[in-house]
Amino acid sequence: VIEQFINPQVIASLAFHAKSLHSAGEMRKAKTGISKLENSTLRGDFIHWIDASNASESETVYLNTMAELQHAINQSFFLGLFELESHFAIYPPGAGYQKHLDQFIGKEERKISCILYLNEGWHHEDGGQLRMYLDKKDENRFIDIQPQAGTLVVFLSSDFLHEVLPATRERISLTGWFRTRSLNS
């Protein structure tokens, strides 16, 4: 968990951009799994994938900063990360995302999950925490992370069950995955 990961002005610009995409109808109801099923009881957010070839100025700053992080992770841990896939996510009040892993069964390309929060003035009573389970076998061992603007959360996609708790207000983030090349290609 890294607080104040990116300049506050960039965070504000990214949040404004996400809200603009949402109000313009450019965000779509999120789907789950390889089969891409829409399941509102499992997941209630709206997403918009970032296209690096058509990125806004603030998206470009985000992508460049994440590229630096990718390089640092590769240098330190030799994971062979080669790309970032990333999307904006907006959770309306009351929406959440039930407990899950970010790596699909039989698909190991997603190695590192990254969540950058864009919520200004978030308070504990607003809810919407990211609940990270520290032990897959003991759901009583967890930490809750506040979705405060500028906070970046990074974890192994295959190892940490997590969920988004429902919030009382709109919750905005940039979620991404550093990927390795597929062994099947």
Side-chain angles (χ1 to χ4, degrees):
V1 177
I2 306 166
E3 294 178 3
Q4 301 173 3
F5 180 70
I6 291 182
N7 177 307
Q9 289 80 16
V10 174
I11 294 295
S13 180
L14 288 166
F16 179 80
H17 186 59
K19 290 177 185 180
S20 297
L21 289 167
H22 191 54
S23 64
E26 296 293 320
M27 297 187 95
R28 300 287 175 245
K29 191 83 173 107
K31 298 180 179 176
T32 59
I34 294 173
S35 58
K36 305 287 185 206
L37 298 174
E38 190 175 307
N39 183 342
S40 295
T41 59
L42 177 66
R43 181 178 185 179
D45 58 328
F46 291 83
I47 64 170
H48 179 83
W49 291 93
I50 292 179
D51 176 3
S53 66
N54 193 26
S56 69
E57 186 177 330
S58 59
E59 288 173 320
T60 300
V61 171
Y62 163 77
L63 293 171
N64 290 339
T65 304
M66 296 304 285
E68 291 174 20
L69 178 60
Q70 175 185 325
H71 179 73
I73 292 171
N74 277 336
Q75 275 195 313
S76 298
F77 300 105
F78 308 105
L79 293 179
L81 306 175
F82 86 101
E83 75 174 350
L84 174 72
E85 61 178 355
S86 193
H87 65 65
F88 286 102
I90 293 185
Y91 289 82
Y97 192 166
Q98 290 184 8
K99 191 180 344 176
H100 65 283
L101 288 173
D102 282 350
Q103 193 177 81
F104 302 127
I105 296 171
K107 301 283 254 172
E108 298 180 4
E109 294 84 7
R110 285 183 176 175
K111 291 293 180 190
I112 304 288
S113 298
C114 307
I115 306 165
L116 178 64
Y117 294 109
L118 308 176
N119 309 293
E120 290 294 334
W122 200 268
H123 303 287
H124 181 77
E125 58 271 12
D126 294 329
Q129 291 84 1
L130 175 69
R131 178 160 288 172
M132 297 285 305
Y133 292 90
L134 304 175
D135 183 340
K136 288 181 186 177
K137 296 175 184 158
D138 183 359
E139 66 179 44
N140 294 316
R141 293 192 59 223
F142 62 85
I143 59 170
D144 287 343
I145 301 165
Q146 289 292 115
Q148 187 61 255
T151 298
L152 178 72
V153 180
V154 180
F155 57 94
L156 292 168
S157 302
S158 62
D159 290 5
F160 290 94
L161 285 164
H162 57 285
E163 66 181 306
V164 175
L165 302 177
T168 60
R169 59 181 263 211
E170 183 178 76
R171 180 186 184 278
I172 309 168
S173 64
L174 260 170
T175 301
W177 301 271
F178 287 122
R179 297 169 47 92
T180 58
R181 296 189 194 287
S182 173
L183 298 175
N184 300 326
S185 47

